[in-house]
Amino acid sequence: MTLENPLREGLRMRRPMEPVSIVIFGATGDLTARIPALFTLAQEGKLPAAYNIVGYTRRDWSDDYFREQMYEAVSEFSRHDPGVADEALWRGFADNLTYVQGNFDDLERYRALDEALTELAGGQNMPDNRLYYLAAPPGWYETIITHLGEAGMAAQEDNGWRRIIVEKPFGHDLASAHALNDTLNAVFSEEQVFRIDHYLGKETVQNILVVRFANAIFEPIWNHRYVDHVQISVVEPGGAEGREEFYDQAGVIRDIFQNHLFQVMTLIAMEPPVAFEADAIRDEKVKVLRAIRPINGEDVAQLTARGQYTAGTIDGEAVPGYRELDEVPDDSQTATYGAVKWYVDNWRWQGVPFYLRSGKRLPTRVTEASIHFKRPPHLLFDERQVENQRPNVLALRIQPDEGITLRFESKLPGQGLERRAVTMDFRYGTSFGIATPPDAYERLLLDAIVGDATLFARRDEIEWAWRLVDPVLAAWRDGEGPPMEMYEAGTWGPEGANELLARTGRRWRRL
Amino acid sequence: MADTSLRTDLRKVDLSAIRDELRRLWASEALRDEAVMRARTHNLVVYTDVRRHHVDDIVQFIIEITSARPGRVILIHCDLEAEDRVEGWVTVYCQQQNQAQVCGEMVVFDVGGRLGDEIHSTVVSLLAPDLPVYLWWMQRPEPDDHLFETLSAEAARLIVDSDFFPAPRHDFPALADLDAPPLVDLAWGKLAPWRDAVAQFWEIPELREHLPCVQGMEIRYHADRLLTGDTRALLLVGWMADRLGWEFLHAERSPEGGYGTRWMIAGCEAGIDVLPAAGVEGDLPPGEIASIQITVGEEPPFSTSRIEFIPQRHWLSIALHGEPTEAAMRGYTFHPVDARRALAEELVSGYDSLYPKALRQVAAVFRSLNRS
């Protein structure tokens, strides 16, 4: 039995963690996130006292060449530039980098990797804890997982645990997600699996839980009696450049709705969990997903809108239309904008629509959830102003300029009872002086190392989300959905999205 | 990177007009470049009795320290030997950090003679309502001091920095006996990464089982020419003693500076030595810990491990030697904490209740030394 460490208690700065070897499958493919995040963690002294980072790909690289490539990646993408920081810091980090060459479907190379990991751990007299990170193209996921199992690299042993991080996309529909999960669970138990949705690693997404459940003033009005509707938006000025091939297969629903938007929506709509623990929170999120009313058949045309951007102007620069991109077919029917009206059929949210939207090539980059409250039941003031009466809105800004805004009515100074809507702003940076918020990957990597799955998606979350979006995707594909509207880059998206709200006298919040 | 150009020009103002002047300053800032104070999280009341020509340095130091934490600072400078007087100044300041602008405001009282006892009501009237009050007493607090007594009654936390106590042998026992708000010691905050390192050290599985039976420790610290700077290392010992249930036996001054202390650990007597580091390179301030050597094992041959800070590399090296482990080296990036960071952390963190327990252990060591 492992003795408790009484010195852990009350520590503010670091979470004590065991030595670990982190294996990145596909380390050379996408260098923008994981290695820079790991370097930042190392530089801030947040990694364990002993760690190894092992890159595994098919390219014929040496350890030194791998380190050179990682240095360039870190220089470009890390919050801490190794060129600016002490060179010794990089050397200390680079000493822990190792490269193992191998194809993803070559079982013998997995055995070689296994030996290399055992040797690394033994050489440093550290337990053989392993964190596998699937950063390879999703088409290889099942092959890698299966080979890890066949090479005996998934079973937890006395001298070390085994965990695996899987990046989205978790399949491309319910069937493929189910198959991927079956493959995963045939090799790894669910406790060993950490499905990353980097949105959950963002400070402000986690703050949704704190705002809701650490304050007594919001929860009593967080229901259908007081809330008129909820809007959740993930919009960006960027296009699909650089990932056209993937994006044209995925589209906005698979890319954003099935994961990021549903993650935020479940945190907004969930019941209070019994504890701030992984399964307690994930149980409540799944209950929300189960309560969301599916949109089928003809309803898809009424409750959704879609669009695709054409050429336009963003920040004063001309940008091409989606179909003008190299890898995108001229007749592509992939939606780059989507808006969907969902209902959550439970006691708390009966009759309250949740409007979710996401789009590319919109004027600004914002992720925000806003709670729009009902109007007062009786207006005491000048009835001529009723039309101008703007309801209270509580907006949770997730990025950028993270914070919370409350809009309410106030009397204009002077005689009479002229009113204006004013906002009360809380901004993280202003209140806490955060120069650079921690990167989501940094937080999630640390959580995986200590085995905290709170901010990772569970199997049933993924599959329930697919159950909800599959019928929408099918209707869009089969021509039962709303028409594909073209919208000019730099505008707020298709008119159909505005009509989705206008039918009930509502409108999108200006972001 | 943060823009550290701060507007710190103090304006002399009549005491009765301080609030109006602050309002006016914010309004003029807003007209000038939209520097509107959008948040305030605390009141920080700072007391000092340094010589008057040092006050400007202290103002600048406090503004730098607090510029990342928006709040109202009230600095009281007392000169007991001067003629009776009270003068007030105000300033507002903003710091740009990426897209976020953090603003603060400061009121400075320069108090002479006996009026130090009378200033408390003015200070209390200027506290921002409904926000916690942190009282930073830059000298060792005296419980009989009227100003200390009245201001500490308003405070949610009392902040000191024991690194600057002139006579630790007497100051620590007095601090442990002080009837005051929850106590915060910036020296304890500076110790945080070392507490993390020691806790992390015991996460190594093959060492964990030996945690209850430490055979001995040697902590080396950076000393100044007078060989002082040992108290932070003693706080580290006090923390371990409290967490691990060590029973203090006795202590003696070491001839080379520092102390030798004896503790009852798991039924055996063990020595914990706190000694100045010899020939340490780098420009670390006195008090910073240089290395920790830990000896463990049920019976000989014991295992000796060493945690050492290498300033040139910002590196904490952990070397394990002999049974029960084979020789091995580990390490990670390590950044010492200075007073600025310790205070910034304190202004946003929950109270660390481990400090008073560690302090009691250190007080016991000093009381033993005082008796001998």
Side-chain angles (χ1 to χ4, degrees), chain A residues 197-232:
Chain A
D197 181 335
H198 72 271
Y199 255 55
L200 285 176
K202 292 182 182 295
E203 291 278 327
T204 36
V205 171
Q206 296 157 43
N207 193 41
I208 293 173
L209 292 175
V210 175
V211 167
R212 288 196 56 198
F213 303 128
N215 295 293
I217 59 171
F218 297 119
E219 203 51 25
I221 56 171
W222 208 266
N223 56 54
H224 67 95
R225 290 188 200 88
Y226 298 95
V227 175
D228 177 75
H229 71 281
V230 177
Q231 296 181 16
I232 305 175

Side-chain angles (χ1 to χ4, degrees), chain A residues 425-461:
Chain A
D425 291 331
F426 155 79
R427 289 286 172 267
Y428 261 86
T430 308
S431 290
F432 299 125
I434 302 168
T436 313
D439 177 79
Y441 279 106
E442 295 166 19
R443 166 69 195 260
L444 294 171
L445 278 162
L446 283 184
D447 281 0
I449 293 171
V450 298
D452 180 353
T454 306
L455 300 178
F456 294 84
R458 204 169 58 188
R459 172 180 184 148
D460 47 357
E461 281 181 82

